[in-house]
Amino acid sequence: MKAVVITALGGPEVLQLQEVDDPQIKDDEVLVKVEATALNRADTLQRIGKHPPPKGASPYPGLECSGTIEAVGKLVSRWKVGDQVCALLAGGAYAEKVAVPAGQVLPVPPGISLKDAAAFPEVACTVWSTVFMMSRLSAGETFLIHGGSSGIGTFAIQIAKYKGVRVFVTAGSEEKLAACKELGADVCINYKTEDFVARVKEETGGKGVDVILDCIGASYFQRNLDSLNFDGRLFIIGFMGGAVTELNMTSLLAKRLTVQAAGLRGRSVENKAEIVNEVEKNVWPAIVEGKVKPVVYNHFPLSEAAESHRLLESSQHIGKILLVP
């Protein structure tokens, strides 16, 4: 099969489409003929050597895909050859075929094209496992999403609104903020021209928000704590603004704050299966109802993986970028 290979660590140009061996499936896996995969920041970090694949995972990038099942392992009961699915992966989706543990496979929701279904697994599993399963975001609460126009952000806005939450977002351009507003965001803040802490306080009567989903890390850490209400929860899923910071712990104590962090790729197969199961029960109905839609900015052929990475790293996009074999 053809797959995108990281030929050396470096810039987007190191991504080359090459002929490689087909993946071999284990007894509890399925083989998926890939219709599309979607880009994630982790892919660009893997390319420069900062986010290597977990032990035993495919060396090729790609953390999610959609496609058609071509083969099933002998312990697999739910899925059969010909099923149209999407899946959460530890790697390997920048390819024509990929092996997936059966517990990480989801049916393509009715009304969603097979190609667009590739935009859901990583964002749905990330957002559901963090702010819902761990931070317990619930109806009537307030929620701030940094990077509201990203793949994670555009999904988080929609599922939070579906759950009856008041949504705040930050983004860096009026175009991105307009896209967030269209998806249902209640308060849209341009972080380049406004102080998000002041705006959050102003919009919440001085209280702050209940939950924050943050991909920035160190450079926003204190400001995030300052933006939280009593019993507020800060959930960190990325370090685009650095990973090391200083903390005055009195602010945690005074407001009974919780700081949480988690990744998805390095979790066990069992843990991922549990998350995927929760996503199917809680998120898939919202997609079927048309309340959560895929937000796809552009799609590229696998042979243009380098170009797609340049776009992702430019942060000009809104939503997800797909790669199609």
Side-chain angles (χ1 to χ4, degrees):
M1 68 169 183
K2 288 191 170 72
V4 174
V5 178
I6 299 171
T7 55
L9 300 180
E13 69 284 349
V14 304
L15 300 174
Q16 301 286 335
L17 191 62
Q18 297 182 356
E19 283 288 338
V20 301
D21 290 338
D22 283 5
Q24 301 302 306
I25 59 167
K26 298 176 186 153
D27 290 346
D28 60 350
E29 292 182 334
V30 300
L31 184 67
V32 176
K33 181 179 187 290
V34 177
E35 176 79 14
T37 180
L39 271 62
N40 290 282
R41 291 269 170 195
D43 308 343
T44 63
L45 294 174
Q46 179 174 337
R47 197 196 68 223
I48 59 175
K50 287 191 173 171
H51 194 63
K55 197 169 180 288
S58 168
Y60 315 123
L63 300 179
E64 57 193 330
C65 74
S66 61
T68 307
I69 292 182
E70 275 202 346
V72 296
K74 56 175 180 275
L75 297 179
V76 177
S77 56
R78 177 176 178 185
W79 307 106
K80 61 185 189 302
V81 172
D83 284 347
Q84 294 201 332
V85 298
C86 54
L88 179 71
L89 310 167
Y94 285 28
E96 291 177 327
K97 297 178 185 185
V98 67
V100 192
Q104 290 166 221
V105 178
L106 288 150
V108 171
I112 301 295
S113 72
L114 184 56
K115 185 164 77 175
D116 283 352
F120 281 128
E122 182 75 20
V123 294
C125 291
T126 295
V127 173
W128 193 261
S129 66
T130 54
V131 290
F132 291 96
M133 288 172 73
M134 290 176 71
S135 295
R136 305 280 175 213
L137 179 64
S138 50
E141 288 195 308
T142 47
F143 177 37
L144 169 62
I145 304 157
H146 289 302
S149 61
S150 67
I152 293 272
T154 52
F155 174 83
I157 291 167
Q158 296 179 84
I159 193 66
K161 289 308 296 178
Y162 177 76
K163 292 291 179 186
V165 170
R166 187 171 180 227
V167 175
F168 293 60
V169 298
T170 62
S173 74
E174 294 311 309
E175 183 197 2
K176 288 179 175 180
L177 292 170
C180 293
K181 193 156 198 64
E182 201 165 300
L183 290 168
D186 299 287
V187 179
C188 301
I189 305 163
N190 187 330
Y191 68 83
K192 292 181 178 171
T193 60
E194 291 186 83
D195 172 9
F196 72 80
V197 184
R199 185 78 193 281
V200 162
K201 289 284 178 67
E202 182 190 322
E203 297 280 353
T204 57
K207 289 180 178 172
V209 293
D210 298 304
V211 176
I212 299 174
L213 182 61
D214 175 51
C215 55
I216 304 297
S219 62
Y220 273 17
F221 190 65
Q222 190 58 52
R223 282 186 282 169
N224 279 332
L225 298 181
D226 295 342
S227 301
L228 284 169
N229 193 1
F230 283 92
D231 300 305
R233 292 86 79 195
L234 168 61
F235 209 109
I236 300 167
I237 57 167
F239 306 106
M240 290 169 70
V244 179
T245 187
E246 202 170 82
L247 164 65
N248 179 344
M249 288 185 279
T250 57
S251 56
L252 295 181
L253 186 144
K255 291 201 285 183
R256 304 184 296 273
L257 303 181
T258 304
V259 179
Q260 298 168 295
L264 187 57
R265 188 181 196 180
R267 290 174 184 254
S268 69
V269 171
E270 294 78 15
N271 193 203
K272 286 180 184 172
E274 186 188 332
I275 291 167
V276 166
N277 185 42
E278 289 291 316
V279 163
E280 186 174 355
K281 280 195 311 209
N282 294 286
V283 175
W284 253 227
I287 299 172
V288 174
E289 286 176 40
K291 296 290 196 289
V292 173
K293 296 184 170 74
V295 181
V296 176
Y297 184 73
N298 205 344
H299 48 84
F300 293 82
L302 272 184
S303 57
E304 292 177 25
E307 197 47 51
S308 71
H309 272 223
R310 286 187 192 100
L311 174 60
L312 183 70
E313 290 176 314
S314 77
S315 290
Q316 295 300 304
H317 63 291
I318 292 167
K320 295 287 279 189
I321 301 163
L322 303 187
L323 278 177
V324 182

